[in-house]
Amino acid sequence: ARRWTARSQGSPQDVSAHAPSTSRRAAGEHPPAERQEARPRGMDPSPPSFLHELSRGPARTLLPVLAGWAIAAGIILPPLADIVEDYFGSVAPRVVARRGADVTIGFCPVDPAPDRADPCAAAAAQSVTVTGYLDTVGALCAFVVSPGLGRMSDIYGRRPFILATFAVPVASNALLAAYYSSVAHRWAWYVDLWCYLACKAVATTVPLAMALAYIADCFSPHNRAAGFGVVLGTFSFAIFVGPRVGALLAPETALWCAVASSAAGLVAGVALLRETVTPARARTARAALRDGAPRWRAFLDSIAILARDRFFAVLAATAAIDGMAIQGLQDVSQFYLKGALHMSPGLRAAALQANGALGVLVQAVLLQPLTRCLGERRLLLLGLLGSALFVAADGLLGHGLVAGALPASTAHWLYFCVPVPLTAVAMITFPAISALKANHAHGEEQGQIQGALNGARSLASSVGPLLTAQLWHALPAAPYVVYYALASVILCAFLVAACTLPAAEGPIAGGRLKEPLLDGAADESAEEGWRMPRGDRLSQHRVVAAELPGDVAEGEGVRPAPDAPSAPPQQSRSEPWLVMRHT
């Protein structure tokens, strides 16, 4: 290797090595020119295809876990608004039921009787308020826990944290099913609905951050936007399947089917899920901790990555503002469709199915071409604009129906013609933000950056439910005002991203790697797009991997030629060896 390095630099030493001899050919060696042309597999500079990484990589082992969780959430969505309103309408003016007999199933239908109209309206406002406050508590918990869990997953691996966090939704679904069965059958033991509401507050935020970090490990930077789209596409498919199951089955049967679906996903994760954090990356993440600092300091230091540069700060602000509006929207959407648009559970399930079908189309078919044409930044702006438009359209439909300008049937088909397609456009916001933050962080920082941004988003999301709950409680006869306010917040996120989001400064820029090929202190060479060691050039250490001995090709390093200029001693971490990095 030293002889061929010197020859590639034009050194006059060992000229006899330039001519291949018969003995060298007999020993199985090839001339340097022939050897340089034989590029080994794995050194192809072209990026792997998305389908190859999806079908051959570990990402396919996460999909059953996500599908089980998402299908369970889709099954629960149609009857959930009725269950919560029946609870608070039955126990009014109290907030907590003393026993199961206090709750009346079907107390608040879509069109209640005149004597129950006021109690059901108060129950809807109470439901929004309670779920808003509990989601605020859950978002604050996610803000505290997510960055630390992401950092710990960089050190100890993704698999145990994914399985632990996905076990929480299984428990929350089981509590909801047990509550409904105990009320329906008047069981001797009674599980209160508050148990489910408290568990649900922390069951919907933390698992997603772990799944995003896992997906970032599984895909190359060029395919990460499509990889995150797979996550959202899985949810869209589940929304397409789950609500119809929940609408067709009896509520009790549907709830226990949701428990079975989430439990099956967790069992599939235990059996199939593979680890994506290699020991080398775990050592690098462990070494990134401050010397002598206790391990629990990782929980406190993880959020500081968002202040590393302006790009991450603005992206975190955009994700936080958008998350505040989306979390508030999720809390009131089912109550709004039932109360303002007068949609039955079957019609609400059909609306969710339409959203799921269009979401699958966008995520599975259109996302990757859109990413190549627009880039992640323009994709983010398009998604934020679509979000603001669909929320405003929902508000306009509710306003027209409440004011009497639109009949219910006209408002229903307009809902499927305008807000539902715009919802499909809004679904590209999530993969765009996820790809932007993943592509501009190093491999050993994926868990930390996903957890930190999820924590910042969760902190802002704690404000959204409070605002929507207060607005709904102050204006119960005009719930469309809540949607106008949420559309304004999303429009602010669009303006922040459009005006202040700078060009990326992370490891990836323009689709080319910015990491150094050789370890040591490095500075950037803008003309070549690589980080070069100071005092050296890549051509002075040009090595063909196929020409190296087995132990050297595995990454131990290459000793430079004697006449090759080398970096100062303080600039190399392993003098005189230069450690090769796999790219």
Side-chain angles (χ1 to χ4, degrees):
R2 185 161 54 249
R3 183 166 62 248
W4 291 329
T5 302
R7 183 180 60 80
S8 66
Q9 297 168 358
S11 174
Q13 69 173 13
D14 204 0
V15 181
S16 61
H18 290 196
S21 62
T22 306
S23 61
R24 287 170 60 191
R25 289 184 180 273
E29 298 187 27
H30 299 281
E34 298 178 11
R35 231 176 256 204
Q36 199 162 358
E37 293 176 359
R39 175 174 293 177
R41 295 183 65 183
M43 297 293 290
D44 189 0
S46 61
S49 66
F50 167 72
L51 292 179
H52 176 80
E53 289 186 322
L54 179 62
S55 60
R56 301 293 181 87
R60 68 182 189 275
T61 63
L62 182 64
L63 296 183
V65 186
L66 291 175
W69 176 39
I71 289 175
I75 293 174
I76 289 175
L77 274 178
L80 183 60
D82 296 330
I83 292 173
V84 177
E85 287 188 10
D86 289 344
Y87 179 86
F88 288 109
S90 300
V91 302
R94 300 191 307 273
V95 181
V96 181
R98 296 189 178 94
R99 59 189 186 276
D102 294 341
V103 181
T104 302
I105 296 177
F107 186 86
C108 293
V110 177
D111 295 317
D115 58 332
R116 291 188 177 181
D118 292 338
C120 287
Q126 183 73 16
S127 301
V128 172
T129 302
V130 169
T131 54
Y133 279 99
L134 287 177
D135 285 342
T136 297
V137 175
L140 292 176
C141 293
F143 168 72
V144 175
V145 173
S146 291
L149 287 181
R151 186 69 173 273
M152 291 296 101
S153 70
D154 288 334
I155 298 174
Y156 299 108
R158 313 274 187 233
R159 188 176 187 274
F161 291 92
I162 287 178
L163 296 179
T165 53
F166 275 87
V168 181
V170 180
S172 67
N173 295 338
L175 289 173
L176 179 61
Y179 155 76
Y180 195 90
S181 295
S182 65
V183 171
H185 301 289
R186 297 293 190 263
W187 287 350
W189 55 275
Y190 167 64
V191 179
D192 196 80
L193 183 65
W194 280 93
C195 299
Y196 162 75
L197 295 175
C199 190
K200 171 184 170 291
V202 296
T204 57
T205 53
V206 178
L208 191 58
M210 296 294 101
L212 294 181
Y214 191 93
I215 291 294
D217 295 337
C218 298
F219 290 95
S220 59
H222 301 72
N223 296 325
R224 274 182 184 150
F228 293 125
V230 169
V231 176
L232 194 57
T234 304
F235 282 98
S236 299
F237 174 76
I239 290 175
F240 178 74
V241 175
R244 179 51 56 186
V245 175
L248 292 177
L249 298 177
E252 184 179 6
T253 306
L255 295 179
W256 285 110
C257 285
V259 176
S261 175
S262 56
L266 184 62
V267 171
V270 173
L272 302 175
L273 197 64
R274 293 160 52 185
E275 184 56 69
T276 58
V277 177
T278 61
R281 288 177 58 184
R283 287 193 298 269
T284 304
R286 192 177 297 112
L289 295 175
R290 290 188 292 182
D291 297 335
R295 190 61 51 85
W296 56 267
R297 290 293 297 272
F299 281 85
L300 303 179
D301 295 339
S302 297
I303 199 69
I305 194 173
L306 298 180
R308 184 166 64 185
D309 54 31
R310 184 185 172 191
F311 175 81
F312 278 116
V314 176
L315 187 63
T318 303
I321 297 173
D322 178 65
M324 177 175 64
I326 295 301
Q327 185 63 46
L329 179 68
Q330 291 176 352
D331 282 353
V332 302
S333 60
Q334 292 299 309
F335 301 104
Y336 183 81
L337 294 179
K338 178 183 177 180
L341 298 184
H342 303 293
M343 286 189 177
S344 63
L347 199 55
R348 297 199 299 268
L352 291 172
Q353 274 192 297
N355 289 330
L358 290 176
V360 170
L361 175 65
V362 171
Q363 306 303 328
V365 179
L366 301 179
L367 182 61
Q368 195 169 16
L370 286 174
T371 304
R372 291 177 179 177
C373 295
L374 302 177
E376 287 87 355
R377 186 178 183 275
R378 293 188 182 93
L379 203 67
L380 171 62
L381 297 178
L382 179 62
L384 290 173
L385 186 60
S387 299
L389 291 177
F390 105 80
V391 176
D394 275 350
L396 286 173
L397 288 179
H399 193 176
L401 194 59
V402 172
L406 287 175
S409 58
T410 304
H412 292 166
W413 70 261
L414 281 177
Y415 178 83
F416 284 91
C417 293
V418 181
V420 169
L422 290 175
T423 304
V425 178
M427 289 181 182
I428 63 178
T429 305
F430 172 78
I433 292 178
S434 301
L436 281 171
K437 61 187 178 184
N439 285 349
H440 303 99
H442 296 284
E444 64 273 9
E445 297 175 333
Q446 292 300 329
Q448 183 182 3
I449 189 63
Q450 298 289 350
L453 272 169
N454 186 69
R457 185 184 178 99
S458 299
L459 179 62
S461 298
S462 64
V463 181
L466 289 179
L467 294 179
T468 54
Q470 294 300 322
L471 278 176
W472 192 294
H473 189 75
L475 301 169
Y480 49 85
V481 176
V482 175
Y483 273 64
Y484 290 154
L486 294 177
S488 302
V489 173
I490 299 176
L491 188 60
C492 290
F494 170 80
L495 294 176
V496 168
C499 299
T500 62
L501 186 64
E505 299 176 358
I508 305 298
R512 293 183 295 178
L513 290 172
K514 302 285 283 188
E515 291 188 0
L517 287 182
L518 306 177
D519 275 351
D523 56 1
E524 297 214 323
S525 176
E527 296 81 2
E528 299 178 2
W530 302 89
R531 288 182 179 178
M532 296 296 183
R534 292 192 182 99
D536 296 338
R537 285 295 179 263
L538 187 61
S539 60
Q540 296 172 350
H541 302 285
R542 186 176 299 150
V543 178
V544 180
E547 301 171 354
L548 303 180
D551 55 344
V552 178
E554 288 296 322
E556 292 185 11
V558 178
R559 188 185 301 274
D563 59 343
S566 60
Q570 67 273 14
Q571 295 181 3
S572 179
R573 284 179 278 179
S574 54
E575 287 292 340
W577 294 87
L578 294 171
V579 181
M580 300 296 296
R581 302 182 82 179
H582 293 279
T583 60

